């Protein structure tokens, strides 16, 4: 079967964008058509200043929400990145294959480093090298497909480059993965800043709908969404980003085509109202299941424990092969 790997980073509360852009597809499609692994990538949350207790809390919440979104441990593997040592083991080996120039060209590093320099500070080294850890996340499992949003495709391209380079220099070891993304709402935008992604790292802001927002809160955020000048409801991502974002969200929630949906409305208010209700209905079963899982924390812990064991067993042969290929001696009398 095709092997799929993807994950969520516990740097903030998961959003409607995370769900429509990735998590729903994982649950509805990917876990049933493939040998799929889904991971809470908590090591990536350490690349910026953070509260350790908050990272742990958000990691548990993210795992629960993955299950609440419909991931079934009988159909896929759900685990936490730091519970599987092979991620960190392989990351260093891949750092020995990657180049400084590749890391410094990564868009997220360039943007965050520039902001810190403006403030007179500097970023952590891990922010520079974390794309290699992301490549290790992917390559350790012989991944064929990585379902990601458009903003992450550069990182999958790096994983491809590192896999090809390693295979050419040291012998065929890694599967070369490819990025995949859904056609609609692959990148849900901020309701107040429709040219910016709806990011979970922003803790406050009326433009972000969180998966655990109460229905009235979610409705209010959608109803207050920024629209564009003019009165006609048209789908034009370049010229009318606010309207396009609402139409894409509505389309993703209802299965409709954004351009066709635009023709059904003659006012912004009606579009906002229908979009708000569609969002509430999409979130309702996720929130219900999340509440049930919170009442049974032992179940979630058991899923993560079993998932880590399965992931470890899948990753270890590939990582061990990479260690041998690059020239490292195998452990003496090791149980491997």
């Amino acid at each position: 079967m095709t092997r799929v790997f993807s994950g969520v980073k516990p740097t903030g509360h998961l959003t409607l964008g995370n769900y429509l852009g990735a998590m729903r597809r994982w649950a509805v499609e990917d876990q049933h058509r493939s040998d799929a692994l889904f991971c809470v990538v908590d090591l990536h949350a350490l690349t910026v200043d953070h509260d350790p207790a908050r990272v742990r809390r958000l990691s548990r919440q993210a795992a629960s929400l993955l299950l609440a979104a419909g991931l079934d441990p009988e159909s896929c593997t759900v685990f936490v990145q730091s519970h599987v040592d092979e991620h960190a083991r392989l990351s260093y080996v891949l750092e020995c294959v990657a180049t400084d120039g590749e890391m410094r060209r990564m868009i997220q590093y360039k943007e965050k480093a520039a902001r810190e320099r403006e403030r007179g500070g500097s970023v952590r080294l891990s922010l520079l090298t974390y794309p290699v850890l992301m490549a290790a996340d992917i390559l350790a499992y012989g991944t064929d497909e990585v379902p990601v949003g458009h903003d992450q495709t550069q990182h999958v391209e790096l994983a491809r480059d590192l896999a090809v380079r390693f295979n050419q220099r040291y012998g065929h070891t890694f599967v070369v993965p490819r990025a995949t993304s859904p056609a609609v709402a692959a990148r849900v935008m901020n309701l107040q800043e429709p040219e910016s992604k709806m990011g979970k790292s922003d803790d406050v802001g009326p433009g972000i709908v969180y998966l655990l927002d109460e229905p009235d809160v979610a409705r209010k955020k959608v109803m207050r969404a920024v629209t564009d000048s003019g009165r006609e409801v048209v789908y034009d991502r370049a010229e009318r980003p606010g309207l396009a974002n609402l139409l894409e969200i509505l389309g993703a929630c209802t299965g409709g085509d954004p351009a066709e949906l635009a023709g059904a409305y003659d006012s912004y208010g009606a579009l906002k109202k229908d979009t708000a209700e569609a969002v509430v209905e999409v979130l309702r079963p996720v929130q219900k299941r999340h509440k049930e899982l919170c009442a049974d924390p032992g179940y979630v812990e058991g899923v993560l424990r079993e998932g880590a064991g399965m992931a470890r067993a899948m990753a270890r042969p590939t990582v061990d092969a990479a260690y041998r290929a690059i020239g490292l001696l195998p452990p003496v009398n090791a149980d491997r």
Side-chain angles (χ1 to χ4, degrees):
M1 294 180 67
T2 298
R3 179 159 290 175
V4 169
F5 176 93
S6 199
V8 293
K9 184 165 60 174
T11 51
H13 298 287
L14 296 181
T15 72
L16 178 69
N18 296 125
Y19 181 69
L20 295 180
M23 294 164 62
R24 184 173 63 174
R25 180 187 177 188
W26 299 348
V28 174
E29 297 180 23
D30 293 327
Q31 70 171 336
H32 300 297
R33 68 172 181 84
S34 63
D35 182 8
L37 300 99
F38 300 106
C39 180
V40 178
V41 287
D42 54 343
L43 293 176
H44 291 293
L46 310 184
T47 61
V48 295
D49 288 340
H50 62 276
D51 174 11
R54 185 171 186 268
V55 170
R56 285 190 290 269
R57 184 172 65 253
L58 290 176
S59 295
R60 293 190 190 97
Q61 184 185 88
S64 298
L65 282 170
L66 288 176
L67 298 174
L71 293 187
D72 181 359
E74 298 297 321
S75 300
C76 65
T77 303
V78 181
F79 66 105
V80 175
Q81 179 191 32
S82 63
H83 295 175
V84 180
D85 293 346
E86 278 64 29
H87 291 255
R89 288 181 61 212
L90 183 56
S91 182
Y92 179 75
V93 167
L94 293 179
E95 284 185 16
C96 298
V97 179
T99 67
D100 174 75
E102 285 175 315
M103 297 300 98
R104 296 187 185 279
R105 286 194 295 271
M106 292 289 112
I107 293 173
Q108 293 191 27
Y109 171 77
K110 290 169 65 176
E111 292 177 348
K112 291 181 180 179
R115 287 198 295 269
E116 284 301 317
R117 283 196 296 270
E118 290 176 359
R119 292 196 285 259
S122 62
V123 296
R124 299 182 181 189
L125 178 61
S126 56
L127 185 66
L128 177 66
T129 60
Y130 94 89
V132 179
L133 176 58
M134 183 173 176
D137 299 337
I138 296 165
L139 299 181
Y141 297 100
T143 302
D144 299 295
E145 297 181 5
V146 188
V148 293
H150 295 313
D151 60 321
Q152 293 294 327
T153 55
Q154 185 186 36
H155 292 145
V156 181
E157 286 302 313
L158 174 68
R160 290 173 56 84
D161 292 343
L162 294 180
V164 170
R165 189 177 307 154
F166 191 101
N167 290 346
Q168 290 175 342
R169 291 181 181 177
Y170 306 112
H172 185 79
T173 306
F174 298 117
V175 173
V176 180
R178 62 185 179 274
T180 61
S181 59
V184 178
R187 196 179 190 198
V188 177
M189 312 306 279
N190 188 297
L191 293 172
Q192 292 297 314
E193 300 175 15
E195 294 182 353
S196 301
K197 186 180 73 168
M198 186 181 285
K200 63 180 177 297
S201 297
D202 298 321
D203 289 334
V204 295
I208 305 165
V209 177
Y210 295 106
L211 293 188
L212 297 180
D213 275 347
E214 292 291 334
D216 286 346
V217 173
R219 285 192 190 93
K220 184 178 297 185
K221 289 178 177 179
V222 176
M223 292 302 295
R224 293 180 177 177
V226 167
T227 50
D228 311 283
S229 59
R231 294 186 176 183
E232 186 181 5
V233 179
V234 295
Y235 178 66
D236 187 332
R237 167 54 71 184
E239 298 298 326
R240 311 286 286 278
L243 280 176
N245 190 36
L246 288 171
L247 288 164
E248 287 183 357
I249 292 172
L250 179 60
C253 290
T254 63
D257 176 79
E260 294 179 1
L261 287 169
Y265 294 94
D266 55 13
S267 72
Y268 294 172
L271 172 61
K272 286 184 175 182
K273 182 177 179 180
D274 283 358
T275 302
E277 291 307 316
V279 166
V280 168
E281 289 307 309
V282 159
L283 295 184
R284 192 184 305 280
V286 177
Q287 294 177 351
K288 180 176 182 293
R289 179 57 178 151
H290 179 263
K291 185 176 181 180
E292 293 170 353
L293 290 169
C294 287
D296 187 10
Y299 172 76
V300 177
E301 291 173 2
V303 168
L304 296 179
R305 182 170 54 253
E306 183 174 347
M310 295 172 63
R312 197 176 301 117
M314 282 187 271
R316 181 168 291 176
T318 298
V319 177
D320 284 350
Y323 269 51
R324 291 192 299 271
I326 205 169
L328 299 176
L329 284 172
V332 178
N333 296 325
D335 183 18
R336 288 188 178 278

